[in-house]
Every structure is written in structure tokens, then in C-alpha cells.
Amino acid sequence: MKTLAQISPGKTATVVGVAGPRAFRRRLMEMGLTPQTDVRIVRIAPLGDPIQIEVRNGQWSLRRDEAAQIEVAP
Amino acid sequence: MSRTAPLIVLAGNPNVGKTTLFNALTGSSAKATNYPGVTVDVRAGELAFDATTHATVVDLPGTYSLVARSPEEQIAIAKVAGVGGEAVPDLVVVCVDASQPARSLYLLLQCQELGVRCMVALTMADEAKAATPAPAKLAALLGCAVVQTNAPNKQGLTELRDAMRQALQSEVPAPLWRWQPSSELQARIASVVAAVDQDSNHTWPHNDAVAMWALLCCDHDDELVGVPPAVRAAAMQSPLPQNLDDEPTLARWQWLDREIPALIKAVPDRTNTERIDGVLLHRWYGFLVFAGVMTLLFLSLFTFAAPMMDGIESLVGMAGDQVGQILGPGLLRDFVVDGVIGGVGTVLVFLPQILLLFLFLGLLEDLGYLARVAYLMDRVMRAMNLHGRAFVPMLSGFACAVPAIMATRTLERRRDRLLTMMVIPLMSCSARLPVYTLVITAMMPGARLTQGLLMVGLYAFSVVAALVAAWVMSLTVKPLKSKRLPFFVELPPYRMPRWGGVLRGMWSRAASFLREAGTVILACSIALWALLYFPRELPAGARDYDALIAKATDDATKSALENERSTARLRNSYGGRMGQAIEPAIAPLGFDWRIGVGIIGSFAAREVFVATMGITVGVDRNLDEDAQRESLRQTLHDAKNTTGGKAYTPLVGMSLLLFFALACQCMSTLAVVKRESQSWRWPIFLLAYMTGLAYLVSLAVYQFGKLLGFG
């Protein structure tokens, strides 16, 4: 299975599930990163981390190791 | 309408124009009050429906959800549900961003589950344009009033006020759940409801949502305060399985995903923002612009603020002279002029930097650039377990720790704020500069170039010290340890700043500084003045300076005697005696009592060290400023220790420089940390760790230096 951290900029993937501790997982899901939601990788920050994502018409900054907790299907 | 004014809570996600709407509704009546125990300002103001009917409007801090892990996040549930001693609101107005309504409505669903009166203010429609859902359709779907507003242009405000008034007269709705909890979840909620019922003050008929909140929020790792023990015990009886934990979140999104897309006819246009991001977040141009903006910020604090600060200082000086002439020489004059007016000057001189920094922060925040700074710098900051948003406050620390610590408000989490606050005072502030200059020119040998390099080295040292300190403390000090929460920072669309709101925010920060930190600083500076002023009588056996001065025939003798008297008085003052008393403790660092007194005096502000040293070594105060400085330099250079050797060798200088680089010699910093952390614990911790660190480093440098034969 791929994670969001492995998706290249410009590509869109669909969330399958979010792993990690309870509070972390819930925070991401409350922001709209729920299963079956499309996430677009907008770009990667100049220093290689964090990444800029678009989900449900909003854009967010997310660290790479956090994106690695989000399982996606391309 | 009832006798007491109804209570309206304004809730919504960050970046949806909620504060602009609040300002438009309440005008100048808004007052920020600190929510007890946390450093979040909750603003409240009066909304006038007409000449005789008013309501109180509370502006909640921006939030995405009522679920909470920390006391700051807990404010939302406390205010919306009226739990934990808060009044139950008569109406909750949820601001819904027209360009991403589903995310905003997630919060509304949570409010409706509680059974409070709700309505929607639809904002940002000017930005969403065709993507804006039709208010009437939204209202039909949500079962509550929906009013489209554009607060900056005052559009829809009358309609909103009318709708609010109408909503207040409607019946309190029953809790509205858009989803049916599974039987397992229902059973768990039921097991907590009894405890909630028992605890609630019976103004709240429907406790299911509160019980579910407790189930979702309480665990062994939360930092919530004031959750009744019985509720907590019931909620934590056994861990909630993951499927039940996810159930409410997924169910709400499922409903939103089913209902909302039908109401939205277009995708909001982000091309402008995308285009600007393409430059501002670009690998090269992005950093170029970033460097430019940060340089401007730094320059404005460091350079542009200087004339204003000089102006305040000369105004205070003039006021002191005027009052001094009226009062005539004596204790009263010294107290009023040097103690009180001088202390007021100490407070006021911070204002230019505070105003400028918050003007900048307000503009950058409104523009949407502050979030991008966090995005760009997070990689660097996180290496030290700091948040990307800590960058601007830390940079501001180069100018002055006081506004910089106030700027930690831009960080959301208390842990991030505290850690940043604890390391900002290590950044080399501008008040250290006169001290460095004096010590380097008086005690360090060598050409201008080496002296200049030493100065640069001190700045670099301060950055390294701050970053290492952040890293070490984030691993060792429990409340500063990092929790695994996502660095989920919204990158909002670029927007033109709202000047009214920016200026209002800038002024409210400055006013709260004057009111809360200013008073503490004033009291401390009067106390320090007294410490270095009393007692006035010189000990028995001292020369009778007053008589000698009266007898002096020429001005030179007279001023020499006056200087000698000042030195004798300072040495004999309580502060002077403290300086001598601590000499055994600071001697291993290479410092004598004169530096000891200087260190005590510099607590008022670091640069005061220069003036205090001037008196302890007896510089002629009738000389002009430049000559005094030169004389001080020369005197320090030539000063002898008790055994006749050079008192201030380069090694002593090095030890002193490091001491000033690391020690928390600044009562104003401590006063602001007290104000921002709402506790005495953190300023005491800051003072203790920085002084300890400074002592150990200076001790090591001086003792090793001596072993190696320097000094």
C-alpha cells in the first residue's frame, strides 16, 4: 500500500485510512482527510519538507512523516 | 427580551473572516479578556439591536472542532455548551466559509448535536463567487437561519442582526443528530450520561452530546482541566475501540458529503493564490522574497524603531527635568524623577517595537504569508522540536525579547508557545549591544577587525544557544515535550489586509502590555531604583563629602568630589552591598564587586550596566556623553584588582560577554513571560535556567582560561 508521502507533486490520490495515535488520527479526519477523499499534492516545500496538500477545497501544510501515516490508493 | 442581555457566541474555523465580522457587529465595545489558565484572549462586545435592546457577543478562538486535547481547545466546548461554569449561550452563530462550506459545517453539526440555538453567517462569498451555496437552500438543509454577509463592506449586517434577533426569540431546539450512533457507541454514551447529569446544573436537558465529547476527549494523555472526576472516570472505564472513536467523525462527514455537493455549482477559483504561491513558495524566488520580508521586519524593529525610542527617551527625560525643577533637590525629587518617571520610561520605550512588530504580524497574517513562513521554515525549526511558526518570534528576539515573547501568540499550542518563550531571551537582543561594545572595546585587545568578528561570533553563539536549548528542553522538561499532533497548518488564499482589524489588533496588544506587563515592570524598576539609592547616609568614618563640596573652590575639585560621593553612595547602597556580598560567588567567574553591582543594576535593562559601571568606577558625569564613554572605557582598561594586577583582563571580558549572552538580565522579559504564561512558574524557570547556564559557562571559560595561562 502507498502512503501520501510517496505521491509526487501534482498527483491526486484517494485516502484509504489514517494510522497513528488517537488524537493525531482524529485531527486529520476532522479536517476532512476521511476515507474516499481525494488529496492532491500541490508541491513540496523548498527544504524537502513539509508538503502542501489540497483536500476539500482547502490547502494545508503537512509534514512528510505525518503524510506517511495516511494510506492512499493512487 | 429578557432582563439580562442574551449571550451570543460567534464560532468558526480560522481564516473565515470571523474576527472581521465580530468587529463589525460590536464596534468599539469589544474587550479582550484572558481566559483563566490559558493564554488565549476571548473577546466579548456589545451588539445593539436597537436603542434599548442589546446582546453580548463572545468571539471564540478559531476552531475546526469542539473536540479538545488541551485547555485552549476546551474553551470552545465550554462556551458553546455552557459547561465548566460557563453560561449557556442563547445563540451560537457559526461562520461558514462559502469556498469550503463542508469543513465549516462540520463545526455546526457538532453545535446542533448539543441542542443549542444555531444559525449561520455565510462569509467569504466574494471570494467563492459562483461556488457559494445558495443561502436559502442551505437554510432548508440545516434547519436554521443562514445569512450571507460581507463584513468588510458592511453587506448583510442588518439582515444578520435581524436574523439573530429572530433566532433569539425562537424556541430552543432539541438536539439534532444527523446520524444514528451504533448500539455500541450508544451504550458507551449512556454509561457516561449519568455522570454528566449528576454534575450538570440542570440547565442542560440533553447531555448525550456532552457525554460523547467526554468519551472522545478523555484519555491518559489529554491535558484537559476541570473535567468532573466522575465524568472522566465514566468516560475512561475502558478504552474506546478505534471504530467507535472514528464513528462520529466519519458519520458527520458522510452526511456532509451526501448533502453539500448538490448545493455547490462550481469549484472556487484559486488561480491567483496558486500563481502567487508559485513564486513565494518557489525553491529560489521563494527564499529570496522570504529573506527580503524578514530583513524588512528585522530592520524595522532594529532601525526604524530607534528614532521613536529615542524620542520617547528624550520626552521622558524632559518630563523628568521639568518635574525635577518644580520639586527641587531631595529625596522626593529623586524618587519621582529617577524612580517613577524613569520607570515609566522603561515601560514606554518598548512601545515602538511592540507596535511595529504587531503591525507587521497583523499584515502578514491577513495576507496569508505568516502561514507560508511556517511552511517554508518548518524543516529547520522542527529539527529543534520547534514549530515552523516560531521563526518570526525568534527572529524578533534579535531586537527585543519583550515584543518577541508577545508574538508567540501566533502559535496555537501552549507547549509550542512556552518552548519558544523559553528560548527567545537567548537571542542576542539590542539591549546587549551597548554592553558587548563596552566590554569588547575596554577589555578585549586587538584590532577593529578581531573585535568586529567577536561581535559577530556573539550573535552566532546566541542563535546556536537558543536552538540547542530548545532541543534539550523539548527532550527533558515535561510540559515542553513534543506531543505527536499533526503540523496541519492551513495555507489560506492570499487576501488584502483589513487595515481596521490590523490596527485594532496592534493597539489591543500594546494596551494589554501597558496594563498587565507594564505595571509589573514599573513596580520592579522602582524597587531596583530604591535598592541602588538607599541608604543615603554613608557609614561612619567616610569622608564628609557634603562639607568638602561646600568648601571646594574650583569646579574641577567639586565635580571630582561629587563623583566620589556617587561612587561611595552606590557602594554603600543595599544593591552595592549585595554586589559585594555576592563577590565570593562571582569571583570564580573573574568578576569583582563592581561588576556585581553592574549585574544587579542591569536587571532593570541590560544597557543600564554601562551607566552603573560608570558610577562604580567613578567616571566624571559632567563630561559629555562621548567623553564619558571614552573615560569609562579607559578606566575599565586601567582598573586594578586588589593585588595590583589588571582587574579586567581579556579573559574576564570573555567571561563577562558570555555571562551577558546567556543570563536573563531583564525584569521586563520576566514580566512579559509571566503575563503570557499566566503563571509565575515559567518566569522563575526561565530566570533559573538562564542564570545557571550563564554561571556555569562563564565559570568554565574563566577557570579553563586561567589553567591555560590566559588572563
Side-chain angles (χ1 to χ4, degrees):
Chain A
M1 251 318 173
K2 272 197 163 181
T3 72
L4 193 60
Q6 292 161 307
I7 305 296
S8 30
K11 294 272 186 303
T12 300
T14 309
V15 176
V16 173
V18 182
R22 181 189 194 199
F24 170 87
R25 230 184 53 247
R26 182 161 54 217
R27 181 75 57 92
L28 292 186
M29 292 201 298
E30 287 199 309
M31 303 289 196
L33 277 165
T34 52
Q36 279 114 57
T37 309
D38 284 348
V39 188
R40 181 167 69 97
I41 306 291
V42 182
R43 64 166 63 75
I44 294 169
L47 298 177
D49 198 12
I51 57 180
Q52 182 179 356
I53 62 169
E54 183 172 82
V55 56
R56 296 176 186 275
N57 291 341
Q59 294 203 352
W60 305 78
S61 161
L62 189 67
R63 285 176 181 162
R64 204 172 260 284
D65 58 346
E66 293 161 353
Q69 302 279 347
I70 302 168
E71 212 177 279
V72 293
Chain B
M1 208 156 277
S2 58
R3 276 155 316 207
T4 52
L7 179 64
I8 300 174
V9 168
L10 196 57
N13 298 170
N15 306 312
V16 297
K18 185 167 65 68
T19 300
T20 315
L21 181 61
F22 174 80
N23 288 341
L25 287 174
T26 60
S28 55
S29 69
K31 277 204 174 61
T33 46
N34 208 272
Y35 197 78
V38 295
T39 42
V40 175
D41 279 332
V42 177
R43 300 197 310 148
E46 288 296 310
L47 163 65
F49 289 117
D50 56 43
T52 52
T53 38
H54 297 262
T56 304
V57 184
V58 173
D59 185 21
L60 267 193
T63 182
Y64 295 99
S65 165
L66 296 182
V67 166
R69 303 287 300 175
S70 64
E72 297 99 284
E73 293 169 345
Q74 223 179 330
I75 297 172
I77 183 82
K79 293 278 184 190
V80 169
V83 294
E86 292 288 337
V88 179
D90 297 289
L91 173 65
V92 177
V93 179
V94 179
C95 293
V96 170
D97 180 349
S99 64
Q100 27 180 336
R103 186 170 285 110
S104 305
L105 289 172
Y106 183 90
L107 185 63
L108 177 81
L109 296 193
Q110 288 183 309
C111 296
Q112 289 187 324
E113 285 166 19
L114 285 158
V116 283
R117 283 195 199 96
C118 290
M119 61 169 289
V120 166
L122 194 60
T123 57
M124 298 293 164
D126 52 333
E127 213 169 79
K129 298 207 173 75
T132 308
K137 285 188 180 161
L138 204 54
L141 172 70
L142 300 171
C144 68
V146 176
V147 180
Q148 186 172 321
T149 61
N150 187 353
N153 302 334
K154 310 261 179 253
Q155 280 167 359
L157 286 180
T158 316
E159 292 85 340
L160 180 65
R161 265 195 295 264
D162 290 347
M164 286 163 90
R165 201 171 180 176
Q166 238 168 13
L168 281 170
Q169 262 131 24
S170 68
E171 246 178 77
V172 177
L176 178 55
W177 291 47
R178 312 289 179 164
W179 51 288
Q180 179 65 46
S182 63
S183 53
E184 294 104 306
L185 184 62
Q186 193 65 63
R188 291 298 300 264
I189 291 173
S191 72
V192 182
V193 163
V196 176
D197 277 338
Q198 208 172 30
D199 186 77
S200 67
N201 44 13
H202 297 288
T203 53
W204 200 252
H206 308 292
N207 282 333
D208 282 27
V210 177
M212 188 173 71
W213 180 89
L215 264 180
L216 294 176
C217 298
C218 294
D219 58 33
H220 295 287
D221 202 30
D222 72 59
E223 298 165 56
L224 305 172
V225 289
V227 177
V231 174
R232 180 178 277 281
M236 288 171 57
Q237 235 165 21
S238 61
L240 204 60
Q242 184 166 324
N243 62 327
L244 297 191
D245 198 40
D246 291 351
E247 192 182 315
T249 312
L250 295 179
R252 289 180 197 125
W253 274 115
Q254 215 165 35
W255 186 84
L256 291 167
D257 284 341
R258 195 172 58 231
E259 304 291 343
I260 302 301
L263 300 182
I264 300 169
K265 300 278 175 264
V267 177
D269 178 25
R270 263 186 89 114
T271 40
N272 279 337
T273 291
E274 299 257 340
R275 213 170 287 154
I276 300 172
D277 265 349
V279 177
L280 294 189
L281 301 181
H282 185 270
R283 194 168 291 260
W284 305 117
Y285 311 128
F287 273 109
L288 219 60
V289 175
F290 171 76
V293 172
M294 291 302 126
T295 308
L296 189 64
L297 172 83
F298 185 71
L299 274 183
S300 73
L301 293 184
F302 214 78
T303 318
F304 305 160
M308 286 189 265
M309 293 164 79
D310 290 345
I312 288 174
E313 272 172 354
S314 39
L315 274 179
V316 169
M318 265 154 57
D321 288 346
Q322 290 293 322
V323 174
Q325 269 170 20
I326 296 167
L327 292 176
L331 172 63
L332 183 66
R333 189 199 70 168
D334 291 349
F335 170 70
V336 173
V337 174
D338 298 334
V340 178
I341 298 181
V344 170
T346 307
V347 175
L348 290 183
V349 86
F350 287 112
L351 274 186
Q353 287 184 333
I354 290 174
L355 292 171
L356 274 171
L357 179 58
F358 280 99
L359 175 67
F360 247 95
L361 285 177
L363 289 176
L364 293 182
E365 179 87 73
D366 265 21
L367 278 167
Y369 192 61
L370 216 49
R372 266 84 179 176
V373 171
Y375 172 74
L376 287 172
M377 291 312 289
D378 185 62
R379 180 75 193 82
V380 179
M381 303 306 281
R382 70 174 296 201
M384 304 296 156
N385 292 332
L386 286 161
H387 191 278
R389 281 205 175 228
F391 181 81
V392 173
M394 286 187 67
L395 178 76
S396 314
F398 275 128
C400 177
V402 168
I405 286 168
M406 292 171 68
T408 56
R409 289 285 181 99
T410 53
L411 288 136
E412 280 153 43
R413 285 181 228 141
R414 183 171 166 80
R415 175 262 162 197
D416 293 330
R417 268 205 300 268
L418 283 172
L419 182 60
T420 313
M421 266 186 237
M422 289 301 111
V423 298
I424 282 173
L426 284 170
M427 303 297 282
S428 199
C429 67
S430 57
R432 284 177 174 105
L433 202 55
V435 179
Y436 289 167
T437 311
L438 173 71
V439 175
I440 289 177
T441 52
M443 304 182 192
M444 311 307 276
R448 278 284 157 82
L449 181 67
T450 41
Q451 294 185 334
L453 284 176
L454 187 56
M455 187 72 96
V456 174
L458 282 165
Y459 273 86
F461 174 72
S462 80
V463 176
V464 174
L467 292 178
V468 172
W471 183 68
V472 171
M473 282 192 283
S474 73
L475 297 178
T476 53
V477 182
K478 193 162 176 283
L480 303 180
K481 280 189 187 164
S482 53
K483 288 253 159 66
R484 244 189 91 63
L485 281 171
F487 174 79
F488 212 44
V489 176
E490 186 170 8
L491 300 171
Y494 289 101
R495 289 170 183 148
M496 285 311 284
R498 311 265 175 235
W499 281 96
V502 170
L503 294 176
R504 198 193 291 251
M506 175 178 97
W507 177 244
S508 93
R509 293 285 182 244
S512 94
F513 165 78
L514 290 180
R515 206 169 44 236
E516 291 165 57
T519 43
V520 177
I521 297 172
L522 179 60
C524 288
S525 67
I526 292 175
L528 261 175
W529 166 83
L531 204 61
L532 296 173
Y533 185 82
F534 294 110
R536 297 306 281 166
E537 302 79 33
L538 291 173
R543 298 171 74 182
D544 186 356
Y545 289 106
D546 296 344
L548 288 170
I549 289 168
K551 268 192 282 179
T553 45
D554 61 308
D555 281 355
T557 326
K558 203 171 149 189
S559 82
L561 282 164
E562 276 171 0
N563 287 324
E564 219 180 302
R565 181 177 61 181
S566 303
T567 309
R569 275 185 175 158
L570 180 61
R571 181 171 190 164
N572 183 52
S573 69
Y574 296 118
R577 291 178 205 178
M578 279 164 68
Q580 291 163 71
I582 62 168
E583 200 173 357
I586 58 176
L589 316 185
F591 306 161
D592 60 11
W593 73 270
R594 289 173 286 206
I595 294 182
V597 179
I599 287 174
I600 291 170
S602 69
F603 210 64
R606 288 183 179 91
E607 70 269 19
V608 173
F609 179 78
V610 178
T612 316
M613 288 310 284
I615 303 175
T616 60
V617 301
V619 168
D620 185 352
R621 287 196 292 168
N622 292 323
L623 295 172
D624 70 42
E625 231 176 280
D626 287 338
Q628 272 193 43
R629 210 173 298 140
E630 188 44 49
S631 159
L632 174 58
R633 213 169 282 158
Q634 204 54 51
T635 320
L636 286 177
H637 189 260
D638 301 338
K640 296 276 176 283
N641 61 20
T642 43
T643 55
K646 208 165 162 15
Y648 305 123
T649 61
L651 185 59
V652 174
M654 200 61 225
S655 168
L656 189 55
L657 287 175
L658 290 172
F659 189 85
F660 264 91
L662 296 172
C664 186
Q665 287 299 107
C666 181
M667 58 169 190
S668 305
T669 300
L670 296 172
V672 165
V673 170
K674 153 76 179 64
R675 191 251 174 278
E676 293 296 318
S677 66
Q678 296 287 308
S679 120
W680 280 107
R681 196 171 141 201
W682 291 104
I684 290 169
F685 173 76
L686 180 69
L687 179 66
Y689 107 76
M690 285 183 67
T691 311
L693 185 65
Y695 188 89
L696 290 178
V697 169
S698 289
L699 180 73
V701 165
Y702 187 69
Q703 294 301 330
F704 269 109
K706 273 215 327 204
L707 275 181
L708 295 174
F710 295 104

